Amino acid sequence: MPDHVIVVGAGLAGLSAAMHLQGTGRRVTVVEKGDVPGGRAGTVAVGGFAADSGPTVLTMPEYLDEAFGVVGERLSDWLTLDPVTPAYRARFADGSRISVHTDAAAMEDEVRTVCGAREAAGYRELRRWLGELYSVQRAHFIGANFDSPLDLVRPELVRLAALGGFGRLESRLRRFLRDERLIRLFSFQALYAGVPPQQALAAYAVIAYMDTIAGVYYPRGGMRAVPEAMAAAAVKHGAEFRYDASVTRLEWRGARVVAVHVGEERIACDAVVLACELPDAYRLLGKSPSRVVPHRWSPSAVVLHAATDRTWDLGHHNILFGRAWRGTFDEIVHRGRLMSDPSLLVTHAQDGLHYVLAPAPNLEVGLVDWRRVGPRYRDELVRTLEARGLDGFGAAVRDEVLVTPADWGNAAGTPFGLAHTFAQTGPFRPRNVVRGVENVALAGAGTTPGVGVPPVLISGRLAAQRTAAVRR
């Protein structure tokens, strides 16, 4: 069993891996190229604020609680998580609004009031289905290591199939709901997984479960408080952190890594967790698995961070839907074009600070010259916001930062990683171990189980489990 494990990357996946390794008695060194922990859960300076630059809410805090628990800590001693109520506020092109409540009775009343009694009954059945879907997938699919597609052959697979998990998401939702507004509210989350709702597996409705049933939370101090607390807890229990430290190479002895080189420094180790971007991990390993189907990356996003001198009637999370729907996904996923009628996510975490996200094509499929188009698209986003109820938004902006796909710095210019197509799901997703390498595990959005805060926290635990199985 390895004694000293080096974790490369102090994002949420790497921090989770570090804490789970500590929980099994390993000595852990975390090497991070940045000057603070967090990775994609970082900040950007706007108008005197430190604004969240990555995820803007936390779902399924039980996985975070698990990471603190394995080192003997309580999450509540390190973080205060405030529930976001409602979880979302949605505005539609016809002027109607729906608030998404995680409380069952409150949401049923909302659906009945806005959409009618028939839809309220459908929502009740949908909620039951989402709960069953998550229950089946939680331990045996989302939270499991896979070594082969044969690992799927278990009783839970039959149950998942019976629930319709291998059908298409939007088609399955239509068994419960008829109102197009509700279809959108419970299917747009598929884009987080990099797939249009019409093409996504129904199994990915678990993302809607996390968002609309399990609860949405915001840490006091912003999302950056999460990695800060995780790193501090890890340090308390003996982890060493090296910041501003880029790994230059791995030192091998046969099929094992025996040291990690950071500049001129050599750090000996018994095992390694690579919790960095997937292409960077493969580059350090000097090998990548051969695939019949090339990797397909998720769509990207344009984000406008704007500090304003006024506010509007907004919740924490707001979705401003356009009239178009199906065609917009085709534009960004297949045609490499900007959405002609975009649906926007507007996050209002602090007074005067707005995070406006517009889905966009990634750099592999996109034909957009962002240096030229970026400023013009910013103006288009402002006009769209004003047309959808945020009157005078442009004139109220006092400071801003625009982030385009050319600025993310991730593979294919997308912060969302590999798309969750069928060929990149479960045992078909890049594994967290690489053939021919004995003591290295991978963690992060590019590997098992996938994209999003809960999955990357799980990926850290799965990587730690892989490492625990390594023999010295």
Side-chain angles (χ1 to χ4, degrees):
M1 193 175 288
D3 173 48
H4 183 208
V5 182
I6 295 178
V7 177
V8 179
L12 295 179
L15 293 167
S16 174
M19 296 173 82
H20 281 281
L21 287 164
Q22 287 181 290
T24 55
R26 301 328 189 272
R27 181 166 65 94
V28 176
T29 299
V30 181
V31 179
E32 165 58 41
K33 65 181 179 181
D35 58 359
V36 292
R40 298 183 191 187
T43 60
V44 58
V46 188
F49 297 100
D52 293 320
S53 60
T56 57
V57 289
L58 178 68
T59 60
M60 306 303 291
E62 64 192 76
Y63 296 116
L64 195 57
D65 192 40
E66 178 185 65
F68 279 89
V70 295
V71 295
E73 298 290 337
R74 294 188 305 176
L75 173 62
S76 59
D77 290 336
W78 293 86
L79 286 168
T80 299
L81 303 180
D82 293 321
V84 177
T85 306
Y88 292 94
R89 289 184 181 179
R91 301 185 186 189
F92 298 89
D94 64 1
S96 61
R97 301 186 183 193
I98 299 176
S99 292
V100 177
H101 301 277
T102 54
D103 177 76
M107 188 59 193
E108 190 173 332
D109 286 345
E110 179 79 2
V111 173
R112 182 180 294 106
T113 299
V114 180
C115 307
R118 192 267 168 211
E119 294 300 283
Y123 165 74
R124 196 162 52 242
E125 289 303 304
L126 171 63
R127 187 180 180 98
R128 178 193 58 76
W129 177 73
L130 289 172
E132 289 186 32
L133 198 67
Y134 178 71
S135 178
V136 168
Q137 293 189 70
R138 183 183 186 278
H140 302 287
F141 298 101
I142 299 173
N145 277 311
F146 292 100
D147 291 309
S148 146
L150 293 176
D151 290 342
L152 284 173
V153 182
R154 55 184 70 182
E156 293 78 15
L157 183 68
V158 177
R159 181 62 182 150
L160 183 58
L163 287 169
F166 297 108
R168 298 302 176 189
L169 173 58
E170 187 174 296
S171 297
R172 196 71 192 181
L173 291 177
R174 293 187 185 280
R175 297 190 177 206
F176 304 100
L177 305 168
R178 295 177 184 172
D179 192 297
E180 292 296 328
R181 294 169 298 181
L182 295 176
I183 296 294
R184 292 189 185 192
L185 273 179
F186 289 99
S187 66
F188 81 89
Q189 296 91 348
L191 203 59
Y192 297 158
V195 186
Q198 300 81 19
Q199 299 171 15
L201 291 175
Y204 283 109
V206 294
I207 308 175
Y209 172 88
M210 295 176 183
D211 273 5
T212 68
I213 295 178
V216 176
Y217 300 86
Y218 190 67
R220 292 186 189 175
M223 284 297 292
R224 67 185 178 279
V226 174
E228 288 173 356
M230 294 178 77
V235 168
K236 176 182 175 181
H237 291 275
E240 180 184 0
F241 280 73
R242 307 280 189 92
Y243 294 109
D244 295 313
S246 294
V247 175
T248 52
R249 69 182 181 92
L250 305 179
E251 182 181 328
W252 297 82
R253 183 175 300 151
R256 301 176 68 89
V257 174
V258 295
V260 170
H261 289 252
V262 179
E264 299 300 317
E265 183 182 8
R266 178 185 184 273
I267 309 174
C269 62
D270 300 297
V272 176
V273 173
L274 294 177
C276 48
E277 291 288 321
L278 191 65
D280 292 337
Y282 290 153
R283 176 181 53 78
L284 286 171
L285 290 170
K287 61 176 66 181
S288 60
S290 59
R291 291 178 58 88
V292 175
V293 180
H295 285 149
R296 178 175 152 190
W297 299 92
S298 295
S300 185
V302 173
V303 175
L304 173 63
H305 300 274
T308 64
D309 59 12
R310 58 167 292 192
T311 59
W312 293 263
D313 180 21
L314 294 170
H316 183 109
H317 256 16
N318 309 269
I319 308 169
L320 311 183
F321 285 104
R323 293 188 180 278
W325 188 240
R326 289 176 176 266
T328 59
F329 297 112
D330 182 61
E331 286 173 330
I332 62 170
V333 174
H334 301 297
R335 299 170 63 187
R337 297 173 52 181
L338 296 172
M339 286 184 168
S340 54
D341 183 14
S343 292
L344 306 177
L345 171 67
V346 180
T347 300
H348 182 226
Q350 305 174 55
D351 282 348
L353 185 62
H354 301 82
Y355 171 109
V356 182
L357 183 149
N362 65 43
L363 297 180
E364 282 199 350
V365 301
L367 306 174
V368 181
D369 179 355
W370 284 108
R371 285 188 298 178
R372 179 176 58 85
V373 173
R376 295 193 315 213
Y377 191 56
R378 174 267 181 205
D379 293 341
E380 183 177 331
L381 290 179
V382 169
R383 288 193 293 270
T384 300
L385 292 170
E386 293 177 338
R388 296 184 187 171
L390 277 66
D391 57 292
F393 187 90
V397 174
R398 292 293 170 262
D399 191 23
E400 65 184 85
V401 174
L402 183 70
V403 181
T404 75
D407 301 317
W408 286 109
N410 306 114
T414 173
F416 302 116
L418 290 175
H420 284 261
T421 60
F422 181 79
Q424 295 177 170
T425 293
F428 307 112
R429 198 163 180 82
R431 293 176 62 207
N432 55 6
V433 290
V434 176
R435 189 185 302 274
V437 181
E438 294 182 2
N439 64 337
V440 177
L442 310 184
T447 185
T448 304
V451 177
V453 173
V456 299
L457 291 172
I458 295 169
S459 81
R461 169 171 59 81
L462 296 178
Q465 291 171 356
R466 292 288 198 185
T467 305
V470 172
R471 296 185 178 181
R472 296 185 66 178

